[in-house]
Amino acid sequence: MEYKVEAHRIMSISLGKIYNSRVQRGGIKLHKNLLVSLVLRSARQVYLSDYYGGACLGSQRAEAGEWAEGETMESLEGRSSPGAAGADSCESETESRETLRAPETNAQASVEVAAERNAEEPASSSDYNWPQGGETDEERAPGQAEDSTQVPSCPVPESRFECGAANADEGPQSPAAAAPCCTRKRSAGKSPYAGSPVKRPRPGSVPPANTEGGDASEDMDTGNVSSLITIFGSSFSGLLSKDGAQAEPGAADGDSGSGTICCEQMLPNLSPWSTAIVAF
Amino acid sequence: MKCFSRYLPYIFRPPSTILSSSCHTEADIISTVEFNSTGELLATGDKGGRVVVFQREQESKSQPHRRGEYNVYSTFQSHEPEFDYLKSLEIEEKINKIRWLPQQNAAYFLLSTNDKTVKLWKISERDKRPEGYNLKDEDGRMRDPATITTLRVPILRPMDLMVEATPRRIFSNGHTYHVNSISVNSDYETYMSTDDLRINLWNLEITNRSFNIVDIKPANMEELTEVITAAEFHPNQCNTFVYSSSKGSIRLCDMRAAALCDNHSKFFEEPEDPNNRSFFSEIISSISDVKFSHSGRYLMTRDYLTVRVWDVNMECKPLETYQVHDYLRGKLCSLYENDCIFDKFECVWNGSDSVIMTGSYNNFFRMFDRNTKRDVTLEASRENSKPRAILKPRKVCVGGKRRKDEISVDSLDFSKKILHTAWHPSENIIAVAATNNLYIFQDKVN
């Protein structure tokens, strides 16, 4: 898992650079920050795909078909939300998650948040809405806001996502694992609300997206990356969408709420960036 | 391959520096170097917003060995730090680029730019002054009219040569983003200034209006994927220019085709080698400099590890690719951490377009002979700076046994980088900026 460690380190460094760029003389350099965001995205892809190549593989595969369909942006368009079952477990997980704190690393959190922001496009969130969609979006958004970091130990034992349990021992990864479950929901809840404080969002959504291919592990990995790429979109969008949301007045509260998530440290890092983007 | 010697015992340090060379102020770091079109003048800009212009001594028969040394001709403060109150941003005074205008009269003109504002400076000599005013005495005080009994007309008397620089035009408020290049058109009437997302065309006479000719800003900034990194006009076709991007591509545009040249006429890009993919692939493929050859037939681009020469007529791949310091490929992560990976190296052609030169770390700079395919690594350092000493080629050892005189990759000093170099337009004289020192090297004459 050296790749994961390396990717994680690079993500932390990248975020530090973005943060420092705010105080550099001469203003924020668009070119340098664009490049840093590209590195951040690449590292994130590796980090998450690497994660998925790991313990979660088996369980993911099971859900693959269901998840995949609902996940990717493209797939969002025409598919019905599959994974009702998944949704169920997701919900339960979400609840349990709310009580847990993920030892999320800053990088992870920020990346995830950023990733989530990206979800804005699929405001074709129609597909994001799980069957239980109704209750969810509104309810969930606030709930999720607090939830933030989750739980690594995607604990619900009955959860179909064994990955959560499997990941319990891997700190940083768990949030990611947990994320997928809740992410979907979050995204669903969140997408209509540009300013919603959803935290976790993206990283979670990634996994399902990944399983888009769903059949074999190889497909899954490839699907992972391509889904990530799709979701993340351009290099900036991941960071900016989150920031863009933050920039909105409504998001301010959300941010503080999400502070609970490991994002605590990252938020200050990210908001200057959003300020910069707004300035641009 | 010609050997270069330190013919001129020249190590320049800005006059205001009172510190020793080992520690220097940030403001003294040279940020751009440019010869004028005849090579008679050499301008340098620094981070403190100053421009120093050197002039080549006229060759004298009595001292043939002091052939054409460069001496300080003029020093002036081009840009000052500013503050944008609306955005709460400080605007650095660092001179990003200097470009000379072709000489049309006794005065010299150059364009200098910082992140936001381009200025046209006139550098002129004054060697006479009027004396004997009727109403003023020599101190300039007005004379009491009652004491004036005769009429006298002032006459011009010689004085010590004074070189004065005056700002003739200030082209401001043209750019939202940071200006990275300026390029004078061969029509000698217009020039373009380039920032991260836009290119503006200016008339040298008009400061309150510019035309936007390229705009790659997406409607939604979140979709931003690339920025413009450099741009240059074709040396003799006034309608053609190129601009490079952070994605490693170059676009050639023709201003006759449309008012807004968002659609390129030619697109130069080499597909990425999937074997070399890493986290930093995008950063190292970002082009930091693009230069037309003097003939206009070729383009040269510099990205982090290589220099490439392109044929303007062939878009699919470069004609030649030269590895500048490929041994750094395995160290990209460390270079990312210490920000060195963002260094923007420039590249230059020699007068005949047969040799190209670019800088590296440890005060090394590299030259590649396109005809013989030979290359050399030279070092700009004080130790090598004895007059008429020949520069010894250096070599970086990439692993395995290190020979004597070789330097290992781990010993390279990444704080000593040569980003800016210039080559005399017709002779083999090069100017190399190493942090706050300017080295001028000349070809050995037999």
Side-chain angles (χ1 to χ4, degrees):
Chain A
M1 284 302 177
E2 311 80 49
Y3 301 109
K4 191 172 67 67
V5 170
E6 180 71 5
H8 185 266
R9 192 170 134 257
I10 289 176
M11 286 197 295
S12 308
I13 293 170
S14 303
L15 288 162
K17 287 188 194 299
I18 291 177
Y19 181 63
N20 289 332
S21 73
R22 184 180 173 233
V23 298
Q24 271 170 10
R25 203 167 162 247
I28 295 175
K29 308 269 189 290
L30 186 63
H31 183 203
K32 181 176 175 187
N33 284 284
L34 177 65
L35 294 177
V36 170
S37 69
L38 290 174
V39 171
L40 184 59
R41 184 179 60 147
S42 303
R44 185 177 166 282
Q45 285 175 356
V46 167
Y47 187 83
L48 292 171
S49 63
D50 188 55
Y51 161 74
Y52 281 101
C56 213
L57 205 59
S59 58
Q60 289 292 356
R61 218 175 289 164
E63 310 310 322
E66 301 163 356
W67 286 92
E69 298 189 349
E71 272 329 276
T72 52
M73 305 241 205
E74 294 121 15
S75 53
L76 283 182
E77 316 303 329
R79 312 222 195 147
S80 52
S81 28
D88 290 335
S89 37
C90 221
E91 284 180 46
S92 55
E93 277 193 18
T94 307
E95 286 150 15
S96 48
R97 235 185 284 147
E98 292 180 2
T99 59
L100 297 175
R101 275 268 171 128
E104 182 75 338
T105 62
N106 294 341
Q108 175 75 358
S110 57
V111 167
E112 290 171 354
V113 180
E116 176 181 6
R117 291 300 161 167
N118 215 355
E120 56 165 298
E121 273 109 317
S124 46
S125 39
S126 54
D127 281 327
Y128 260 114
N129 290 329
W130 285 83
Q132 6 323 334
E135 42 160 307
T136 9
D137 297 351
E138 284 75 11
E139 294 168 18
R140 226 167 278 256
Q144 295 187 340
E146 293 145 24
D147 165 322
S148 66
T149 29
Q150 2 314 167
V151 48
S153 28
C154 241
V156 190
E158 56 280 5
S159 164
R160 311 169 68 167
F161 308 102
E162 297 155 6
C163 52
N167 293 331
D169 41 326
E170 308 186 67
Q173 279 186 336
S174 354
C181 316
C182 42
T183 303
R184 278 235 199 126
K185 299 203 186 187
R186 283 214 203 145
S187 313
K190 168 171 145 30
S191 34
Y193 305 82
S196 74
V198 188
K199 298 295 176 86
R200 272 304 173 126
R202 262 319 155 102
S205 55
V206 171
N210 297 336
T211 57
E212 160 172 62
D215 306 324
S217 53
E218 302 85 32
D219 290 349
M220 203 187 312
D221 290 341
T222 317
N224 262 346
V225 178
S226 60
S227 311
L228 281 170
I229 292 173
T230 309
I231 292 172
F232 218 119
S234 72
S235 64
F236 251 28
S237 55
L239 294 173
L240 285 180
S241 51
K242 183 237 182 285
D243 294 320
Q246 278 187 340
E248 295 171 18
D253 300 335
D255 287 346
S256 47
S258 60
T260 52
I261 299 181
C262 357
C263 287
E264 257 156 0
Q265 278 192 352
M266 285 327 291
L267 282 176
N269 293 349
L270 291 168
S271 46
W273 181 236
S274 66
T275 308
I277 298 302
V278 170
F280 273 126
Chain B
M1 186 79 203
K2 298 189 157 53
C3 343
F4 275 77
S5 66
R6 246 192 108 261
Y7 202 81
L8 310 162
Y10 230 92
I11 296 181
F12 163 73
R13 218 179 308 140
S16 59
T17 306
I18 53 173
L19 304 168
S20 68
S21 63
S22 56
C23 53
H24 54 82
T25 59
E26 175 102 352
D28 296 333
I29 296 175
I30 298 172
S31 52
T32 183
V33 186
E34 184 82 358
F35 278 101
N36 76 337
S37 52
T38 59
E40 181 201 353
L41 297 177
L42 175 66
T44 62
D46 64 21
K47 267 194 163 187
R50 283 175 307 234
V51 172
V52 181
V53 180
F54 297 85
Q55 185 186 44
R56 195 175 185 193
E57 254 180 31
Q58 296 304 320
E59 294 182 23
S60 68
K61 292 194 173 47
S62 60
Q63 291 185 312
H65 62 276
R66 286 175 65 84
R67 193 176 72 118
E69 278 190 14
Y70 283 83
N71 300 315
V72 177
Y73 180 63
S74 172
T75 303
F76 56 94
Q77 186 75 31
S78 171
H79 286 75
E80 298 275 3
E82 287 169 38
F83 196 79
D84 181 337
Y85 294 98
L86 191 63
K87 296 184 187 174
S88 290
L89 293 176
E90 192 179 0
I91 300 170
E92 273 192 283
E93 68 277 26
K94 173 169 80 94
I95 308 294
N96 292 333
K97 281 290 188 307
I98 289 176
R99 289 286 181 264
W100 289 95
L101 264 57
Q103 194 173 5
Q104 289 172 320
N105 52 34
Y108 303 102
F109 288 87
L110 61 80
L111 286 171
S112 70
T113 184
N114 69 346
D115 283 340
K116 294 289 182 200
T117 305
V118 184
K119 294 188 184 179
L120 175 69
W121 287 88
K122 175 181 175 184
I123 301 165
S124 49
E125 295 178 4
R126 189 193 291 269
D127 60 357
K128 294 183 185 47
R129 67 163 177 210
E131 283 179 15
Y133 281 101
N134 210 42
L135 296 175
K136 289 193 288 191
D137 61 24
E138 298 309 319
D139 297 335
R141 285 187 304 234
M142 298 300 292
R143 289 170 69 192
D144 180 5
T147 64
I148 299 172
T149 53
T150 59
L151 181 71
R152 61 178 183 173
V153 178
I155 55 175
L156 293 174
R157 289 198 195 279
M159 57 180 260
D160 291 337
L161 178 66
M162 189 172 74
V163 180
E164 45 185 20
T166 47
R168 303 297 293 184
R169 305 272 187 276
I170 297 181
F171 304 92
S172 51
N173 299 321
H175 291 279
T176 308
Y177 303 96
H178 297 307
V179 174
N180 53 53
S181 319
I182 45 177
S183 177
V184 183
N185 202 347
S186 49
D187 65 6
Y188 302 160
E189 278 186 13
T190 57
Y191 76 94
M192 67 175 173
S193 57
T194 309
D195 67 27
D196 291 320
L197 298 177
R198 299 193 177 100
I199 302 181
N200 291 338
L201 183 72
W202 303 81
N203 184 303
L204 285 164
E205 300 295 326
I206 300 170
T207 59
N208 60 359
R209 208 176 342 137
S210 73
F211 291 97
N212 176 245
I213 53 177
V214 173
D215 187 340
I216 64 168
K217 183 179 178 185
N220 184 359
M221 273 296 274
E222 299 183 4
E223 292 157 19
L224 181 73
T225 56
E226 66 182 326
V227 297
I228 302 173
T229 52
E232 197 185 40
F233 269 117
H234 191 280
N236 35 60
Q237 292 170 16
C238 58
N239 52 283
T240 306
F241 65 93
V242 290
Y243 67 92
S244 59
S245 85
S246 56
K247 272 190 174 174
S249 62
I250 307 106
R251 289 172 177 79
L252 185 142
C253 301
D254 187 334
M255 294 196 290
R256 297 171 299 188
L260 192 58
C261 300
D262 280 357
N263 296 322
H264 52 264
S265 299
K266 288 186 198 263
F267 181 77
F268 303 84
E269 192 179 44
E270 185 177 28
E272 191 192 344
D273 179 4
N275 297 331
N276 279 336
R277 184 113 188 96
S278 75
F279 287 124
F280 311 104
S281 297
E282 284 112 345
I283 301 188
I284 63 172
S285 65
S286 172
I287 293 177
S288 52
D289 194 18
V290 66
K291 291 266 173 42
F292 270 106
S293 64
H294 291 92
S295 60
R297 279 193 59 193
Y298 303 103
L299 275 177
M300 171 165 55
T301 58
R302 174 73 156 98
D303 51 60
Y304 191 65
L305 297 177
T306 70
V307 186
R308 288 160 207 246
V309 175
W310 303 75
D311 184 325
V312 169
N313 297 318
M314 184 166 75
E315 302 167 52
C316 56
K317 63 179 167 75
L319 266 186
E320 299 144 25
T321 301
Y322 301 95
Q323 301 295 331
V324 181
H325 37 216
D326 202 55
Y327 45 79
L328 295 182
R329 199 178 285 272
K331 292 174 128 331
L332 293 179
C333 195
S334 325
L335 294 166
Y336 178 70
E337 281 183 68
N338 63 16
D339 272 0
C340 283
I341 206 172
F342 300 105
D343 288 334
K344 297 189 181 166
F345 291 96
E346 293 174 6
C347 52
V348 291
W349 296 89
N350 76 336
S352 58
D353 299 337
S354 58
V355 182
I356 58 181
M357 174 169 71
T358 188
S360 179
Y361 293 103
N362 209 72
N363 277 354
F364 287 169
F365 57 100
R366 304 259 282 139
M367 286 188 201
F368 302 91
D369 189 319
R370 298 178 59 217
N371 299 326
T372 64
K373 300 301 180 207
R374 286 169 58 187
D375 61 86
V376 69
T377 304
L378 301 171
E379 182 179 2
S381 74
R382 292 179 174 280
E383 289 74 43
N384 297 342
S385 297
K386 292 192 268 299
R388 285 184 284 290
I390 296 177
L391 287 179
K392 202 175 52 169
R394 303 303 306 268
K395 196 150 161 50
V396 176
C397 155
V398 289
K401 237 168 100 157
R402 185 177 79 90
R403 293 203 196 91
K404 188 164 103 80
D405 283 355
E406 281 187 1
I407 182 165
S408 73
V409 179
D410 298 315
S411 313
L412 293 174
D413 186 346
F414 290 97
S415 65
K416 293 188 190 167
K417 52 192 88 167
I418 292 182
L419 304 174
H420 312 287
T421 58
W423 204 309
H424 190 285
S426 51
E427 296 185 36
N428 282 332
I429 303 174
I430 56 175
V432 175
T435 318
N436 63 322
N437 292 318
L438 181 73
Y439 293 83
I440 300 179
F441 300 105
Q442 190 160 329
D443 189 16
K444 189 161 89 95
V445 175
N446 294 326

